[in-house]
PDB file of all heavy atoms in Angstrom:
ATOM      1  N   THR A   1     103.834 124.698 132.497  1.00  0.00           N
ATOM      2  CA  THR A   1     103.501 124.802 131.042  1.00  0.00           C
ATOM      3  C   THR A   1     104.765 124.917 130.164  1.00  0.00           C
ATOM      4  O   THR A   1     104.900 124.184 129.110  1.00  0.00           O
ATOM      5  CB  THR A   1     102.558 125.962 130.836  1.00  0.00           C
ATOM      6  OG1 THR A   1     101.428 125.827 131.592  1.00  0.00           O
ATOM      7  CG2 THR A   1     102.234 126.036 129.380  1.00  0.00           C
ATOM      8  N   THR A   2     105.574 125.875 130.591  1.00  0.00           N
ATOM      9  CA  THR A   2     106.865 126.031 129.803  1.00  0.00           C
ATOM     10  C   THR A   2     107.785 124.812 129.886  1.00  0.00           C
ATOM     11  O   THR A   2     108.302 124.464 128.817  1.00  0.00           O
ATOM     12  CB  THR A   2     107.713 127.226 130.498  1.00  0.00           C
ATOM     13  OG1 THR A   2     106.799 128.378 130.394  1.00  0.00           O
ATOM     14  CG2 THR A   2     108.855 127.549 129.697  1.00  0.00           C
ATOM     15  N   ALA A   3     107.875 124.206 131.031  1.00  0.00           N
ATOM     16  CA  ALA A   3     108.633 122.915 131.119  1.00  0.00           C
ATOM     17  C   ALA A   3     108.099 121.835 130.249  1.00  0.00           C
ATOM     18  O   ALA A   3     108.930 121.137 129.548  1.00  0.00           O
ATOM     19  CB  ALA A   3     108.766 122.504 132.541  1.00  0.00           C
ATOM     20  N   SER A   4     106.836 121.716 130.174  1.00  0.00           N
ATOM     21  CA  SER A   4     106.209 120.664 129.380  1.00  0.00           C
ATOM     22  C   SER A   4     106.410 120.914 127.823  1.00  0.00           C
ATOM     23  O   SER A   4     106.702 120.170 127.135  1.00  0.00           O
ATOM     24  CB  SER A   4     104.675 120.638 129.570  1.00  0.00           C
ATOM     25  OG  SER A   4     104.396 120.168 130.958  1.00  0.00           O
ATOM     26  N   ARG A   5     106.390 122.193 127.438  1.00  0.00           N
ATOM     27  CA  ARG A   5     106.636 122.623 126.071  1.00  0.00           C
ATOM     28  C   ARG A   5     108.095 122.307 125.713  1.00  0.00           C
ATOM     29  O   ARG A   5     108.382 121.759 124.577  1.00  0.00           O
ATOM     30  CB  ARG A   5     106.333 124.113 125.797  1.00  0.00           C
ATOM     31  CG  ARG A   5     104.839 124.340 125.823  1.00  0.00           C
ATOM     32  CD  ARG A   5     104.571 125.780 125.400  1.00  0.00           C
ATOM     33  NE  ARG A   5     103.058 125.972 125.475  1.00  0.00           N
ATOM     34  CZ  ARG A   5     102.532 127.092 125.889  1.00  0.00           C
ATOM     35  NH1 ARG A   5     103.191 128.126 126.311  1.00  0.00           N
ATOM     36  NH2 ARG A   5     101.246 127.220 125.835  1.00  0.00           N
ATOM     37  N   HIS A   6     108.964 122.629 126.566  1.00  0.00           N
ATOM     38  CA  HIS A   6     110.440 122.348 126.313  1.00  0.00           C
ATOM     39  C   HIS A   6     110.608 120.842 126.205  1.00  0.00           C
ATOM     40  O   HIS A   6     111.395 120.381 125.371  1.00  0.00           O
ATOM     41  CB  HIS A   6     111.334 122.898 127.400  1.00  0.00           C
ATOM     42  CG  HIS A   6     111.464 124.442 127.298  1.00  0.00           C
ATOM     43  ND1 HIS A   6     112.141 125.024 126.286  1.00  0.00           N
ATOM     44  CD2 HIS A   6     111.009 125.469 128.100  1.00  0.00           C
ATOM     45  CE1 HIS A   6     112.063 126.273 126.413  1.00  0.00           C
ATOM     46  NE2 HIS A   6     111.445 126.630 127.566  1.00  0.00           N
ATOM     47  N   ARG A   7     109.998 120.032 127.178  1.00  0.00           N
ATOM     48  CA  ARG A   7     110.276 118.629 127.069  1.00  0.00           C
ATOM     49  C   ARG A   7     109.603 118.104 125.784  1.00  0.00           C
ATOM     50  O   ARG A   7     110.206 117.230 125.179  1.00  0.00           O
ATOM     51  CB  ARG A   7     109.624 117.969 128.368  1.00  0.00           C
ATOM     52  CG  ARG A   7     110.004 116.481 128.541  1.00  0.00           C
ATOM     53  CD  ARG A   7     109.473 115.925 129.852  1.00  0.00           C
ATOM     54  NE  ARG A   7     109.636 116.843 130.903  1.00  0.00           N
ATOM     55  CZ  ARG A   7     108.597 117.132 131.684  1.00  0.00           C
ATOM     56  NH1 ARG A   7     107.448 116.584 131.438  1.00  0.00           N
ATOM     57  NH2 ARG A   7     108.727 117.987 132.671  1.00  0.00           N
ATOM     58  N   ALA A   8     108.478 118.499 125.321  1.00  0.00           N
ATOM     59  CA  ALA A   8     107.799 118.068 124.161  1.00  0.00           C
ATOM     60  C   ALA A   8     108.792 118.482 122.985  1.00  0.00           C
ATOM     61  O   ALA A   8     108.994 117.574 122.039  1.00  0.00           O
ATOM     62  CB  ALA A   8     106.502 118.606 123.944  1.00  0.00           C
ATOM     63  N   ALA A   9     109.391 119.510 122.920  1.00  0.00           N
ATOM     64  CA  ALA A   9     110.191 119.982 121.868  1.00  0.00           C
ATOM     65  C   ALA A   9     111.388 119.056 121.835  1.00  0.00           C
ATOM     66  O   ALA A   9     111.953 118.649 120.801  1.00  0.00           O
ATOM     67  CB  ALA A   9     110.648 121.424 121.977  1.00  0.00           C
ATOM     68  N   SER A  10     111.982 118.722 122.967  1.00  0.00           N
ATOM     69  CA  SER A  10     113.145 117.860 123.110  1.00  0.00           C
ATOM     70  C   SER A  10     112.754 116.537 122.542  1.00  0.00           C
ATOM     71  O   SER A  10     113.619 115.866 121.825  1.00  0.00           O
ATOM     72  CB  SER A  10     113.514 117.814 124.545  1.00  0.00           C
ATOM     73  OG  SER A  10     114.588 116.762 124.645  1.00  0.00           O
ATOM     74  N   TYR A  11     111.603 115.889 122.806  1.00  0.00           N
ATOM     75  CA  TYR A  11     111.181 114.635 122.450  1.00  0.00           C
ATOM     76  C   TYR A  11     111.048 114.758 120.942  1.00  0.00           C
ATOM     77  O   TYR A  11     111.339 113.726 120.203  1.00  0.00           O
ATOM     78  CB  TYR A  11     109.909 114.205 123.156  1.00  0.00           C
ATOM     79  CG  TYR A  11     109.995 113.813 124.543  1.00  0.00           C
ATOM     80  CD1 TYR A  11     108.888 113.796 125.327  1.00  0.00           C
ATOM     81  CD2 TYR A  11     111.182 113.615 125.179  1.00  0.00           C
ATOM     82  CE1 TYR A  11     109.006 113.346 126.749  1.00  0.00           C
ATOM     83  CE2 TYR A  11     111.399 113.254 126.427  1.00  0.00           C
ATOM     84  CZ  TYR A  11     110.295 113.133 127.191  1.00  0.00           C
ATOM     85  OH  TYR A  11     110.306 112.783 128.563  1.00  0.00           O
ATOM     86  N   ARG A  12     110.428 115.817 120.349  1.00  0.00           N
ATOM     87  CA  ARG A  12     110.260 115.835 118.934  1.00  0.00           C
ATOM     88  C   ARG A  12     111.667 115.925 118.215  1.00  0.00           C
ATOM     89  O   ARG A  12     111.844 115.344 117.125  1.00  0.00           O
ATOM     90  CB  ARG A  12     109.462 117.064 118.591  1.00  0.00           C
ATOM     91  CG  ARG A  12     107.983 116.721 118.862  1.00  0.00           C
ATOM     92  CD  ARG A  12     107.088 117.873 118.272  1.00  0.00           C
ATOM     93  NE  ARG A  12     105.674 117.355 118.427  1.00  0.00           N
ATOM     94  CZ  ARG A  12     104.899 117.815 119.468  1.00  0.00           C
ATOM     95  NH1 ARG A  12     105.405 118.644 120.333  1.00  0.00           N
ATOM     96  NH2 ARG A  12     103.708 117.405 119.637  1.00  0.00           N
ATOM     97  N   GLU A  13     112.678 116.594 118.781  1.00  0.00           N
ATOM     98  CA  GLU A  13     113.911 116.648 118.238  1.00  0.00           C
ATOM     99  C   GLU A  13     114.600 115.208 118.194  1.00  0.00           C
ATOM    100  O   GLU A  13     115.247 114.760 117.266  1.00  0.00           O
ATOM    101  CB  GLU A  13     114.887 117.504 118.968  1.00  0.00           C
ATOM    102  CG  GLU A  13     114.563 118.977 118.765  1.00  0.00           C
ATOM    103  CD  GLU A  13     115.348 119.862 119.688  1.00  0.00           C
ATOM    104  OE1 GLU A  13     116.416 119.460 120.290  1.00  0.00           O
ATOM    105  OE2 GLU A  13     114.934 121.076 119.821  1.00  0.00           O
ATOM    106  N   ARG A  14     114.517 114.477 119.273  1.00  0.00           N
ATOM    107  CA  ARG A  14     114.921 113.076 119.345  1.00  0.00           C
ATOM    108  C   ARG A  14     114.303 112.178 118.311  1.00  0.00           C
ATOM    109  O   ARG A  14     114.911 111.406 117.717  1.00  0.00           O
ATOM    110  CB  ARG A  14     114.722 112.515 120.711  1.00  0.00           C
ATOM    111  CG  ARG A  14     115.668 113.130 121.753  1.00  0.00           C
ATOM    112  CD  ARG A  14     115.359 112.594 123.116  1.00  0.00           C
ATOM    113  NE  ARG A  14     116.041 113.423 124.128  1.00  0.00           N
ATOM    114  CZ  ARG A  14     116.183 113.110 125.375  1.00  0.00           C
ATOM    115  NH1 ARG A  14     115.630 112.000 125.858  1.00  0.00           N
ATOM    116  NH2 ARG A  14     116.838 113.837 126.175  1.00  0.00           N
ATOM    117  N   ALA A  15     112.916 112.354 118.176  1.00  0.00           N
ATOM    118  CA  ALA A  15     112.184 111.649 117.193  1.00  0.00           C
ATOM    119  C   ALA A  15     112.711 112.009 115.807  1.00  0.00           C
ATOM    120  O   ALA A  15     112.918 111.000 114.906  1.00  0.00           O
ATOM    121  CB  ALA A  15     110.717 111.953 117.285  1.00  0.00           C
ATOM    122  N   MET A  16     113.007 113.223 115.449  1.00  0.00           N
ATOM    123  CA  MET A  16     113.593 113.567 114.182  1.00  0.00           C
ATOM    124  C   MET A  16     114.898 112.936 113.944  1.00  0.00           C
ATOM    125  O   MET A  16     115.253 112.442 112.878  1.00  0.00           O
ATOM    126  CB  MET A  16     113.644 115.074 114.038  1.00  0.00           C
ATOM    127  CG  MET A  16     113.939 115.643 112.617  1.00  0.00           C
ATOM    128  SD  MET A  16     113.784 117.395 112.457  1.00  0.00           S
ATOM    129  CE  MET A  16     114.754 117.969 113.743  1.00  0.00           C
ATOM    130  N   LEU A  17     115.771 112.970 114.956  1.00  0.00           N
ATOM    131  CA  LEU A  17     117.129 112.448 114.918  1.00  0.00           C
ATOM    132  C   LEU A  17     116.983 110.937 114.607  1.00  0.00           C
ATOM    133  O   LEU A  17     117.699 110.343 113.780  1.00  0.00           O
ATOM    134  CB  LEU A  17     117.868 112.645 116.119  1.00  0.00           C
ATOM    135  CG  LEU A  17     119.291 112.024 116.177  1.00  0.00           C
ATOM    136  CD1 LEU A  17     120.210 112.445 115.035  1.00  0.00           C
ATOM    137  CD2 LEU A  17     119.877 112.307 117.531  1.00  0.00           C
ATOM    138  N   LEU A  18     116.127 110.273 115.335  1.00  0.00           N
ATOM    139  CA  LEU A  18     116.007 108.795 115.184  1.00  0.00           C
ATOM    140  C   LEU A  18     115.443 108.573 113.726  1.00  0.00           C
ATOM    141  O   LEU A  18     115.931 107.534 113.094  1.00  0.00           O
ATOM    142  CB  LEU A  18     115.062 108.197 116.178  1.00  0.00           C
ATOM    143  CG  LEU A  18     115.650 108.203 117.621  1.00  0.00           C
ATOM    144  CD1 LEU A  18     114.585 107.903 118.695  1.00  0.00           C
ATOM    145  CD2 LEU A  18     116.741 107.047 117.726  1.00  0.00           C
ATOM    146  N   SER A  19     114.581 109.261 113.266  1.00  0.00           N
ATOM    147  CA  SER A  19     114.140 109.099 111.885  1.00  0.00           C
ATOM    148  C   SER A  19     115.090 109.269 110.900  1.00  0.00           C
ATOM    149  O   SER A  19     115.225 108.547 109.886  1.00  0.00           O
ATOM    150  CB  SER A  19     112.984 110.068 111.595  1.00  0.00           C
ATOM    151  OG  SER A  19     111.760 109.734 112.401  1.00  0.00           O
ATOM    152  N   GLU A  20     116.057 110.324 111.044  1.00  0.00           N
ATOM    153  CA  GLU A  20     117.132 110.505 110.161  1.00  0.00           C
ATOM    154  C   GLU A  20     118.077 109.358 110.257  1.00  0.00           C
ATOM    155  O   GLU A  20     118.671 108.935 109.177  1.00  0.00           O
ATOM    156  CB  GLU A  20     117.813 111.791 110.601  1.00  0.00           C
ATOM    157  CG  GLU A  20     117.043 113.012 110.204  1.00  0.00           C
ATOM    158  CD  GLU A  20     117.645 114.347 110.641  1.00  0.00           C
ATOM    159  OE1 GLU A  20     118.730 114.231 111.288  1.00  0.00           O
ATOM    160  OE2 GLU A  20     117.136 115.483 110.461  1.00  0.00           O
ATOM    161  N   LEU A  21     118.354 108.857 111.359  1.00  0.00           N
ATOM    162  CA  LEU A  21     119.206 107.699 111.565  1.00  0.00           C
ATOM    163  C   LEU A  21     118.643 106.450 110.828  1.00  0.00           C
ATOM    164  O   LEU A  21     119.345 105.733 110.097  1.00  0.00           O
ATOM    165  CB  LEU A  21     119.506 107.298 112.944  1.00  0.00           C
ATOM    166  CG  LEU A  21     120.365 108.323 113.748  1.00  0.00           C
ATOM    167  CD1 LEU A  21     120.343 107.889 115.257  1.00  0.00           C
ATOM    168  CD2 LEU A  21     121.752 108.200 113.268  1.00  0.00           C
ATOM    169  N   ALA A  22     117.297 106.385 110.916  1.00  0.00           N
ATOM    170  CA  ALA A  22     116.623 105.141 110.301  1.00  0.00           C
ATOM    171  C   ALA A  22     116.796 105.304 108.758  1.00  0.00           C
ATOM    172  O   ALA A  22     116.921 104.208 108.064  1.00  0.00           O
ATOM    173  CB  ALA A  22     115.246 105.159 110.645  1.00  0.00           C
ATOM    174  N   ASP A  23     116.707 106.548 108.266  1.00  0.00           N
ATOM    175  CA  ASP A  23     116.892 106.667 106.781  1.00  0.00           C
ATOM    176  C   ASP A  23     118.222 106.173 106.169  1.00  0.00           C
ATOM    177  O   ASP A  23     118.269 105.661 105.160  1.00  0.00           O
ATOM    178  CB  ASP A  23     116.676 108.164 106.353  1.00  0.00           C
ATOM    179  CG  ASP A  23     115.242 108.733 106.556  1.00  0.00           C
ATOM    180  OD1 ASP A  23     114.269 107.817 106.624  1.00  0.00           O
ATOM    181  OD2 ASP A  23     115.078 109.883 106.627  1.00  0.00           O
ATOM    182  N   SER A  24     119.227 106.246 106.990  1.00  0.00           N
ATOM    183  CA  SER A  24     120.527 105.807 106.642  1.00  0.00           C
ATOM    184  C   SER A  24     120.906 104.396 107.081  1.00  0.00           C
ATOM    185  O   SER A  24     121.949 103.901 106.769  1.00  0.00           O
ATOM    186  CB  SER A  24     121.607 106.834 107.012  1.00  0.00           C
ATOM    187  OG  SER A  24     121.653 106.825 108.469  1.00  0.00           O
ATOM    188  N   GLU A  25     120.008 103.736 107.806  1.00  0.00           N
ATOM    189  CA  GLU A  25     120.245 102.400 108.369  1.00  0.00           C
ATOM    190  C   GLU A  25     120.047 101.368 107.202  1.00  0.00           C
ATOM    191  O   GLU A  25     118.830 101.155 106.777  1.00  0.00           O
ATOM    192  CB  GLU A  25     119.408 102.098 109.484  1.00  0.00           C
ATOM    193  CG  GLU A  25     119.586 100.797 110.127  1.00  0.00           C
ATOM    194  CD  GLU A  25     121.059 100.484 110.463  1.00  0.00           C
ATOM    195  OE1 GLU A  25     121.643 101.117 111.286  1.00  0.00           O
ATOM    196  OE2 GLU A  25     121.493  99.343 109.927  1.00  0.00           O
ATOM    197  N   PRO A  26     121.102 100.548 106.846  1.00  0.00           N
ATOM    198  CA  PRO A  26     120.904  99.592 105.848  1.00  0.00           C
ATOM    199  C   PRO A  26     120.161  98.346 106.316  1.00  0.00           C
ATOM    200  O   PRO A  26     119.552  97.586 105.575  1.00  0.00           O
ATOM    201  CB  PRO A  26     122.293  99.228 105.408  1.00  0.00           C
ATOM    202  CG  PRO A  26     123.115  99.629 106.555  1.00  0.00           C
ATOM    203  CD  PRO A  26     122.477 100.691 107.253  1.00  0.00           C
ATOM    204  N   ILE A  27     120.189  98.069 107.515  1.00  0.00           N
ATOM    205  CA  ILE A  27     119.557  96.819 108.079  1.00  0.00           C
ATOM    206  C   ILE A  27     118.160  97.082 108.418  1.00  0.00           C
ATOM    207  O   ILE A  27     117.817  97.890 109.294  1.00  0.00           O
ATOM    208  CB  ILE A  27     120.412  96.287 109.360  1.00  0.00           C
ATOM    209  CG1 ILE A  27     121.806  95.996 108.995  1.00  0.00           C
ATOM    210  CG2 ILE A  27     119.759  95.096 109.921  1.00  0.00           C
ATOM    211  CD1 ILE A  27     122.745  95.722 110.157  1.00  0.00           C
ATOM    212  N   ALA A  28     117.225  96.324 107.836  1.00  0.00           N
ATOM    213  CA  ALA A  28     115.722  96.550 107.896  1.00  0.00           C
ATOM    214  C   ALA A  28     115.339  96.502 109.378  1.00  0.00           C
ATOM    215  O   ALA A  28     114.544  97.359 109.808  1.00  0.00           O
ATOM    216  CB  ALA A  28     115.078  95.576 107.011  1.00  0.00           C
ATOM    217  N   LYS A  29     115.690  95.526 109.979  1.00  0.00           N
ATOM    218  CA  LYS A  29     115.330  95.309 111.472  1.00  0.00           C
ATOM    219  C   LYS A  29     115.704  96.559 112.347  1.00  0.00           C
ATOM    220  O   LYS A  29     114.844  96.995 113.136  1.00  0.00           O
ATOM    221  CB  LYS A  29     115.820  94.005 112.013  1.00  0.00           C
ATOM    222  CG  LYS A  29     115.322  93.736 113.435  1.00  0.00           C
ATOM    223  CD  LYS A  29     115.764  92.297 113.962  1.00  0.00           C
ATOM    224  CE  LYS A  29     115.285  92.144 115.264  1.00  0.00           C
ATOM    225  NZ  LYS A  29     115.612  90.794 115.792  1.00  0.00           N
ATOM    226  N   ARG A  30     116.882  97.057 112.273  1.00  0.00           N
ATOM    227  CA  ARG A  30     117.391  98.114 112.969  1.00  0.00           C
ATOM    228  C   ARG A  30     116.670  99.409 112.535  1.00  0.00           C
ATOM    229  O   ARG A  30     116.277 100.212 113.387  1.00  0.00           O
ATOM    230  CB  ARG A  30     118.862  98.220 112.864  1.00  0.00           C
ATOM    231  CG  ARG A  30     119.602  97.223 113.623  1.00  0.00           C
ATOM    232  CD  ARG A  30     121.093  97.585 113.615  1.00  0.00           C
ATOM    233  NE  ARG A  30     121.888  96.368 114.246  1.00  0.00           N
ATOM    234  CZ  ARG A  30     122.997  96.119 113.996  1.00  0.00           C
ATOM    235  NH1 ARG A  30     123.718  96.877 113.075  1.00  0.00           N
ATOM    236  NH2 ARG A  30     123.607  95.096 114.582  1.00  0.00           N
ATOM    237  N   ARG A  31     116.350  99.518 111.202  1.00  0.00           N
ATOM    238  CA  ARG A  31     115.673 100.671 110.788  1.00  0.00           C
ATOM    239  C   ARG A  31     114.199 100.701 111.329  1.00  0.00           C
ATOM    240  O   ARG A  31     113.759 101.751 111.732  1.00  0.00           O
ATOM    241  CB  ARG A  31     115.545 100.604 109.210  1.00  0.00           C
ATOM    242  CG  ARG A  31     114.859 101.828 108.592  1.00  0.00           C
ATOM    243  CD  ARG A  31     115.070 101.852 106.954  1.00  0.00           C
ATOM    244  NE  ARG A  31     114.732 100.570 106.447  1.00  0.00           N
ATOM    245  CZ  ARG A  31     115.631  99.735 105.759  1.00  0.00           C
ATOM    246  NH1 ARG A  31     116.934 100.097 105.744  1.00  0.00           N
ATOM    247  NH2 ARG A  31     115.257  98.652 105.224  1.00  0.00           N
ATOM    248  N   ALA A  32     113.665  99.520 111.361  1.00  0.00           N
ATOM    249  CA  ALA A  32     112.340  99.491 112.063  1.00  0.00           C
ATOM    250  C   ALA A  32     112.245  99.799 113.415  1.00  0.00           C
ATOM    251  O   ALA A  32     111.380 100.576 113.960  1.00  0.00           O
ATOM    252  CB  ALA A  32     111.646  98.114 111.768  1.00  0.00           C
ATOM    253  N   GLN A  33     113.389  99.411 114.190  1.00  0.00           N
ATOM    254  CA  GLN A  33     113.393  99.672 115.545  1.00  0.00           C
ATOM    255  C   GLN A  33     113.608 101.232 115.833  1.00  0.00           C
ATOM    256  O   GLN A  33     113.059 101.734 116.766  1.00  0.00           O
ATOM    257  CB  GLN A  33     114.619  98.977 116.211  1.00  0.00           C
ATOM    258  CG  GLN A  33     114.406  97.466 116.355  1.00  0.00           C
ATOM    259  CD  GLN A  33     115.624  96.696 116.720  1.00  0.00           C
ATOM    260  OE1 GLN A  33     116.765  97.065 116.502  1.00  0.00           O
ATOM    261  NE2 GLN A  33     115.363  95.490 117.425  1.00  0.00           N
ATOM    262  N   LEU A  34     114.477 101.818 114.952  1.00  0.00           N
ATOM    263  CA  LEU A  34     114.739 103.252 115.053  1.00  0.00           C
ATOM    264  C   LEU A  34     113.411 104.000 114.811  1.00  0.00           C
ATOM    265  O   LEU A  34     113.033 105.028 115.579  1.00  0.00           O
ATOM    266  CB  LEU A  34     115.880 103.751 114.162  1.00  0.00           C
ATOM    267  CG  LEU A  34     117.252 103.261 114.495  1.00  0.00           C
ATOM    268  CD1 LEU A  34     118.186 103.404 113.391  1.00  0.00           C
ATOM    269  CD2 LEU A  34     117.659 103.991 115.714  1.00  0.00           C
ATOM    270  N   LEU A  35     112.699 103.642 113.826  1.00  0.00           N
ATOM    271  CA  LEU A  35     111.402 104.250 113.503  1.00  0.00           C
ATOM    272  C   LEU A  35     110.404 104.042 114.639  1.00  0.00           C
ATOM    273  O   LEU A  35     109.570 104.964 114.817  1.00  0.00           O
ATOM    274  CB  LEU A  35     110.834 103.808 112.224  1.00  0.00           C
ATOM    275  CG  LEU A  35     111.617 104.269 110.950  1.00  0.00           C
ATOM    276  CD1 LEU A  35     111.147 103.549 109.672  1.00  0.00           C
ATOM    277  CD2 LEU A  35     111.600 105.738 110.788  1.00  0.00           C
ATOM    278  N   ASP A  36     110.397 102.853 115.252  1.00  0.00           N
ATOM    279  CA  ASP A  36     109.520 102.579 116.286  1.00  0.00           C
ATOM    280  C   ASP A  36     109.867 103.538 117.477  1.00  0.00           C
ATOM    281  O   ASP A  36     108.946 104.137 118.120  1.00  0.00           O
ATOM    282  CB  ASP A  36     109.548 101.212 116.692  1.00  0.00           C
ATOM    283  CG  ASP A  36     108.637 100.839 117.911  1.00  0.00           C
ATOM    284  OD1 ASP A  36     107.456 101.100 117.781  1.00  0.00           O
ATOM    285  OD2 ASP A  36     109.128 100.298 118.884  1.00  0.00           O
ATOM    286  N   LEU A  37     111.170 103.800 117.843  1.00  0.00           N
ATOM    287  CA  LEU A  37     111.514 104.603 118.836  1.00  0.00           C
ATOM    288  C   LEU A  37     111.176 106.093 118.598  1.00  0.00           C
ATOM    289  O   LEU A  37     110.653 106.777 119.404  1.00  0.00           O
ATOM    290  CB  LEU A  37     113.015 104.548 119.116  1.00  0.00           C
ATOM    291  CG  LEU A  37     113.534 103.357 119.845  1.00  0.00           C
ATOM    292  CD1 LEU A  37     115.035 103.286 119.888  1.00  0.00           C
ATOM    293  CD2 LEU A  37     113.114 103.332 121.257  1.00  0.00           C
ATOM    294  N   ALA A  38     111.369 106.397 117.285  1.00  0.00           N
ATOM    295  CA  ALA A  38     110.861 107.753 116.916  1.00  0.00           C
ATOM    296  C   ALA A  38     109.366 108.076 117.126  1.00  0.00           C
ATOM    297  O   ALA A  38     109.028 109.080 117.551  1.00  0.00           O
ATOM    298  CB  ALA A  38     111.306 107.996 115.436  1.00  0.00           C
ATOM    299  N   GLU A  39     108.626 106.973 116.792  1.00  0.00           N
ATOM    300  CA  GLU A  39     107.187 107.125 116.866  1.00  0.00           C
ATOM    301  C   GLU A  39     106.860 107.286 118.406  1.00  0.00           C
ATOM    302  O   GLU A  39     105.939 107.979 118.793  1.00  0.00           O
ATOM    303  CB  GLU A  39     106.503 105.807 116.285  1.00  0.00           C
ATOM    304  CG  GLU A  39     105.058 105.911 116.342  1.00  0.00           C
ATOM    305  CD  GLU A  39     104.442 104.724 115.599  1.00  0.00           C
ATOM    306  OE1 GLU A  39     104.798 104.454 114.375  1.00  0.00           O
ATOM    307  OE2 GLU A  39     103.586 104.060 116.189  1.00  0.00           O
ATOM    308  N   GLN A  40     107.567 106.452 119.287  1.00  0.00           N
ATOM    309  CA  GLN A  40     107.342 106.618 120.725  1.00  0.00           C
ATOM    310  C   GLN A  40     107.606 107.940 121.262  1.00  0.00           C
ATOM    311  O   GLN A  40     106.844 108.417 122.068  1.00  0.00           O
ATOM    312  CB  GLN A  40     108.051 105.450 121.440  1.00  0.00           C
ATOM    313  CG  GLN A  40     107.636 104.098 121.236  1.00  0.00           C
ATOM    314  CD  GLN A  40     108.484 103.118 121.914  1.00  0.00           C
ATOM    315  OE1 GLN A  40     108.838 103.315 123.117  1.00  0.00           O
ATOM    316  NE2 GLN A  40     108.886 101.959 121.183  1.00  0.00           N
ATOM    317  N   TYR A  41     108.743 108.513 120.775  1.00  0.00           N
ATOM    318  CA  TYR A  41     108.968 109.893 121.158  1.00  0.00           C
ATOM    319  C   TYR A  41     107.999 110.907 120.753  1.00  0.00           C
ATOM    320  O   TYR A  41     107.664 111.880 121.458  1.00  0.00           O
ATOM    321  CB  TYR A  41     110.440 110.339 120.771  1.00  0.00           C
ATOM    322  CG  TYR A  41     111.502 109.945 121.655  1.00  0.00           C
ATOM    323  CD1 TYR A  41     112.451 108.971 121.329  1.00  0.00           C
ATOM    324  CD2 TYR A  41     111.652 110.585 122.946  1.00  0.00           C
ATOM    325  CE1 TYR A  41     113.466 108.596 122.285  1.00  0.00           C
ATOM    326  CE2 TYR A  41     112.631 110.202 123.735  1.00  0.00           C
ATOM    327  CZ  TYR A  41     113.577 109.211 123.415  1.00  0.00           C
ATOM    328  OH  TYR A  41     114.547 108.865 124.326  1.00  0.00           O
TER     329      TYR A  41
END
C-alpha cells in the first residue's frame, strides 16, 4: 500500500512537471505531446 502511494505520488509529480513544460513549449505539436504524456502519468 505504501509503495503504491509513493509510486502514484511520483507519477503525479511527473505529470505536473510535464504540464509545466507544456505551458512554456512554443511548438504546438510538442506541447500536445507533453500534455498527452502528463495525462498518461
Side-chain angles (χ1 to χ4, degrees):
T1 301
T2 301
S4 293
R5 286 185 182 143
H6 285 292
R7 194 172 320 123
S10 175
Y11 288 164
R12 286 195 172 95
E13 287 175 15
R14 291 178 190 188
M16 189 171 53
L17 174 62
L18 289 165
S19 293
E20 290 172 0
L21 288 172
D23 288 342
S24 63
E25 177 55 57
I27 300 170
K29 184 175 181 177
R30 288 187 185 154
R31 185 171 46 249
Q33 290 172 331
L34 289 167
L35 289 172
D36 183 53
L37 284 172
E39 188 176 309
Q40 289 178 44
Y41 271 109

